[in-house]
Structures are given as structure tokens and as C-alpha cells.
Amino acid sequence: MAMSFEWPWQYRFPPFFTLQPNVDTRQKQLAAWCSLVLSFCRLHKQSSMTVMEAQESPLFNNVKLQRKLPVESIQIVLEELRKKGNLEWLDKNKSSFLIMWRRPEEWGKLIYQWVSRSGQNNSVFTLYELTSGEDTEGEEFHGLDEATLLRALQALQQEHKAEIITLGDGRGVKFF
Amino acid sequence: MHRRGVGAGAIAKKKLAEAKYKERGTVLAEDQLNQMSKQLDMFKTNLEEFASKHKQEIRKNPEFRVQFQDMCATIGVDPLASGKGFWSEMLGVGDFYYELGVQIIEVCLALRHRNGGLIMLEELHQQVLKGRGKFAQDVSQDDLIRAIKKLKALGTGFGIIPVGGTYLIQSVPAELNMDHTVVLQLAEKNGYVTVSEIQASLRWEKERARQVLEHLLKEGLAWLDLQAAGEAHYWLPALFTDLYSQEITAEEAREALP
């Protein structure tokens, strides 16, 4: 879905790039940052990022305004996203992360709904078929990156609605 | 009638005449009162006729509305007096301001999340007009002020703060004393204010300036900016003109619902 990205009003508001001392204001600020990160990544189809990239990205660095969110504050925003289930660290050093604008459980639900709707319970799919097959064109999860897909399927697996299996030299999934 | 003695009679007559003069004085005042009352009644009737004839005009035209209300004020009539009455029933003028008051509250609630409960009259005006849609009656800033004064009188926590030739409308009962108000007025120019600016313009001690700014931060009316040139800048979302005519987000609209 291609649409021009609309920066929220906060992005042009200089203090947005300073962590606010007032607790209530800070809560609003962090909520706005989380929202912004998710919609930015969604539009730019970015599913993973390094902290270094993030620092220099227009997301956290508004060149025109001459303001950038300091790295300690970026870490706080990322931690908020992690707590909400939209972010996962990809390494122990917390230098790169997976960003999911929809939580894995939510993706899992959508995938399972499609499976049920099309009467394909008890069918087996390759991961590729799910995200890039003809049958799923038009579905929201079409084009989903593999890392997020796996986590979505793992969530379904937890609910005993699916099982991740090995298929040849790749992976697949069976739905129940 | 039999004749009284000349002496007694004369005195009695005199006394009676005096009494009559006195009475006449009273009668005169009464007369005047009656006349004034009749004039007032006529005036009132004329005003009612006028109002009835121009009802549509009054509802549609903000300038006309101002003139009409000035006229009413002259004879001590308040068309916005709540409760039933000739004016609100006949003109529905009361309803108009009541509805406007409700709209104002809705806009303020929806934007409170952003601006902490302070909003410029201009922005309020724009948002109210937007909410009313193309076919609704036109609403002026004068109408807004009147509606807000009504809200204020009802004890809803509304306040009107004069700044730079216009007004900041306060919709949250945050404590704002003279010091705070004066700093708000100073901030209106650029949307932000600094300690140095306050010291220079108002000739205050640093500590006094700092305390006011701390208070504004605490009330959620100001945000801190540590990346500005020189010193910390304190920005007020309410005064940030870039925010004008920005759409109320779905999130904010949800906040407005009780």
C-alpha cells in the first residue's frame, strides 16, 4: 500500500526530541514516538534495523528542524516497543532489532482466519506459499517478512492451531 | 354642607390644599413612572417585533447578532439567560449558544491531549467551524467568547486569558496566577519562552522565572526543549501555530468521549 508518509504534528515540534521531565507529558511523548516508529517502518517496509541506522534515520533525526532524539532516549522508545510486543532484539548487545508494526499474535490471527475461511485447515504450506503465493495475494500478510511470519506461526503453535515443520530444505507449517 | 368658622375653615382648607399639593407631587412621580413604564413596554414590544422580523438574520449573521445583543443589553435584557423565557423560546437564541458551548467543550477535550487545556481563540474557531460543516450557521469569534463566558459562569473551569491582541482559552482548571499569565503572554510571540527572555522583558529574578516555567511544565502546558541554541526553550503546544488546522486524530477524538 503506497501512500505518502504524513509526519505527525509532534515531528515538527522541537521539544518532541527532548525526553520530557513531566511524567504525564513523557507518557504522551513516548506513546507518540512508538506510534511514529511503527507507521514509519510499516510504510517503508522496514522489518529490521540497527540502532546506528535508527540514529541517523529521518525517523529520529529531523534535519530541517535541527533536532535529533538522543540515543539514550531512542533506547527508551525501543524498550517501550519491546514491552508492547512490537519489537524484538536480534542480538545480545541490543544493536539490532526486529520491528513488527503488528504484533506476532495479531498476524497469527489474520493468517489463521484466512486458512479457516478458505477451508484449508489440516493443509500444509511452505512459508513461501503463505507470503508470496498466488492464493494469498490481496491478503494483508502477503509480502510479510520471514522473521515476522515465523513469530506469527510460533504464536499460533502456542495456541495449538499450527505446527511448524521441516519441508525439504526449508520450513513449512501445518494448520489444524 | 354647613359653614365652618372662617378661622377653622381656612386652616382646614389650607391644610387640605397642602395635602393635595403633596399628593400631586406623588401623583406626578407616579405619572412619570407610568409613562416610563409604558415607554419601556413599547420599547420591549418593538424589540420583540424587531427580533421576530429578523429572526433569520439574527441566526445567520454574526455581526447582526452582536448588534442585536448590544441593543438588548441597553434595556437590560439578557437573551442568553438560561431557562425558558420569551427570548430563548422565540428566537432559539439560547439554544444556539448552548449548542455552541457543547461544541467548544468537545474541541477542547479532543485537543487537551496536545495542548494541556490551553488553546488560542483562532485555533478554536477553525476547529469549531470545521466541526460544523458547510451548511451550518456561521459562527464568529464574538460568538465563541460569549459562549465561553456562559460556560465560565456555569463553573466549568473555563477561562479567558488576553494575549497579544487575542485570547487564550483555558479549558482545564489549572492554577494560573498573574505570573503565569504574563509569561504566557510573553510566549505568544514565538510559541516558546526562555528564562533570559523573561528576565529581560519582565525584569524578574531568575528564580521567579524558573518557578513559573516549572509550573507550566508541571501543568502539562509546556514542553522542554534542550536542543535549542543557547539555553532551554519552553514551548507551548497551544501557541505552536504549526498545529493550527491540523486534523484531530482518531486517538484524540476517542479521548473526547466520556
Side-chain angles (χ1 to χ4, degrees), chain A residues 30-168:
Chain A
L30 289 177
W33 271 115
C34 287
S35 216
L36 177 54
V37 170
L38 293 180
S39 33
F40 181 88
C41 290
R42 173 182 181 175
L43 192 90
H44 291 86
K45 301 218 196 295
Q46 199 150 5
S47 58
S48 63
M49 230 193 226
T50 65
V51 174
M52 297 233 65
E53 274 178 315
Q55 280 182 271
E56 294 314 311
S57 158
L59 177 54
F60 291 112
N61 181 6
N62 187 335
V63 176
K64 193 162 155 211
L65 201 68
Q66 293 183 297
R67 297 284 187 284
K68 55 198 300 196
L69 196 63
V71 71
E72 311 81 39
S73 306
I74 294 180
Q75 297 283 7
I76 293 177
V77 172
L78 298 179
E79 174 58 16
E80 279 302 302
L81 285 165
R82 188 199 63 78
K83 280 197 268 190
K84 288 163 74 158
N86 295 99
L87 183 148
E88 202 183 293
W89 289 109
L90 292 172
D91 64 322
K92 279 208 184 75
N93 299 325
K94 295 197 180 174
S95 65
S96 76
F97 54 91
L98 183 68
I99 188 81
M100 301 165 282
W101 64 270
R102 254 209 188 98
R103 286 166 30 247
E105 300 77 31
E106 291 166 335
W107 281 122
K109 198 165 164 198
L110 276 176
I111 293 170
Y112 195 73
Q113 276 172 359
W114 172 77
V115 166
S116 305
R117 246 187 303 132
S118 50
Q120 301 191 74
N121 304 63
N122 293 309
S123 307
V124 170
F125 294 88
T126 62
L127 298 189
Y128 180 84
E129 274 175 315
L130 278 181
T131 59
S132 317
E134 270 178 6
D135 287 345
T136 64
E137 259 170 49
E139 295 301 320
E140 285 204 55
F141 54 85
H142 188 86
L144 194 60
D145 67 282
E146 192 171 298
T148 307
L149 174 64
L150 264 174
R151 281 156 181 79
L153 297 176
Q154 276 159 2
L156 282 177
Q157 192 164 252
Q158 292 246 325
E159 293 175 53
H160 307 293
K161 289 189 170 147
E163 189 187 331
I164 301 173
I165 55 183
T166 0
L167 281 181

Side-chain angles (χ1 to χ4, degrees), chain B residues 1-253:
Chain B
M1 209 174 82
H2 45 273
R3 283 181 71 231
R4 288 178 191 262
V6 167
I11 295 171
K13 257 195 192 158
K14 193 164 176 233
K15 274 215 167 35
L16 190 58
E18 268 171 18
K20 276 209 164 137
Y21 274 125
K22 254 210 191 127
E23 206 186 58
R24 190 138 184 257
T26 322
V27 162
L28 260 180
E30 240 175 70
D31 241 359
Q32 277 177 337
L33 271 178
N34 278 336
Q35 237 207 3
M36 273 167 58
S37 171
K38 280 210 186 95
Q39 279 180 334
L40 216 58
D41 276 345
M42 239 190 44
F43 194 17
K44 193 162 177 254
T45 312
N46 286 343
L47 199 55
E48 287 169 6
E49 258 178 47
F50 176 88
S52 167
K53 216 159 97 177
H54 298 273
K55 179 176 179 170
Q56 284 310 313
E57 205 55 45
I58 291 168
R59 292 189 74 103
K60 276 198 311 183
N61 186 333
E63 275 146 34
F64 206 84
R65 240 183 338 263
V66 174
Q67 288 168 18
F68 173 68
Q69 295 193 99
D70 285 346
M71 271 201 299
C72 292
T74 313
I75 56 166
V77 172
D78 177 8
L80 303 189
S82 55
K84 292 199 182 261
F86 176 82
W87 298 103
S88 55
E89 276 178 353
M90 199 192 79
L91 298 179
V93 172
D95 287 341
F96 173 81
Y97 285 97
Y98 173 78
E99 281 162 17
L100 187 54
V102 171
Q103 275 193 289
I104 290 168
I105 291 175
E106 281 172 356
V107 168
C108 287
L109 275 180
L111 294 177
R112 185 174 296 182
H113 182 85
R114 265 188 220 175
N115 57 34
L118 270 190
I119 185 172
M120 289 293 278
L121 182 62
E122 281 70 21
E123 187 181 358
L124 178 62
H125 193 205
Q126 269 183 35
Q127 295 285 2
V128 165
L129 286 177
K130 243 200 246 166
R132 287 172 80 85
K134 281 192 291 215
F135 303 105
Q137 296 147 342
D138 193 14
V139 152
S140 69
Q141 289 187 1
D142 178 86
D143 288 323
L144 291 178
I145 294 286
R146 283 178 202 269
I148 293 167
K149 280 189 176 153
K150 260 272 107 226
L151 288 173
K152 194 169 160 190
L154 293 171
T156 49
F158 268 77
I160 302 175
I161 303 168
V163 293
T166 172
Y167 299 96
L168 262 178
I169 309 299
Q170 185 184 352
S171 65
V172 176
E175 288 189 32
L176 291 180
N177 61 28
M178 270 303 294
D179 271 11
H180 306 135
T181 309
V182 143
V183 167
L184 287 179
Q185 289 165 342
L186 192 58
E188 191 266 336
K189 200 166 50 136
N190 295 318
Y192 67 81
V193 74
T194 63
V195 170
S196 306
E197 239 186 288
I198 295 174
Q199 286 182 277
S201 303
L202 305 175
R203 303 206 187 290
W204 286 2
E205 300 279 310
K206 198 176 196 163
E207 186 53 29
R208 186 176 172 189
R210 240 195 20 86
Q211 287 213 6
V212 168
L213 295 173
E214 279 304 307
H215 184 83
L216 293 179
L217 281 181
K218 194 168 89 112
E219 291 291 326
L221 297 174
W223 288 49
L224 179 67
D225 175 17
L226 294 176
Q227 294 177 47
E231 62 184 298
H233 280 35
Y234 294 76
W235 294 79
L236 280 92
L239 302 173
F240 190 52
T241 50
D242 264 28
L243 290 185
Y244 286 7
S245 78
Q246 283 250 356
E247 297 295 334
I248 294 180
T249 65
E251 229 167 49
E252 287 163 332

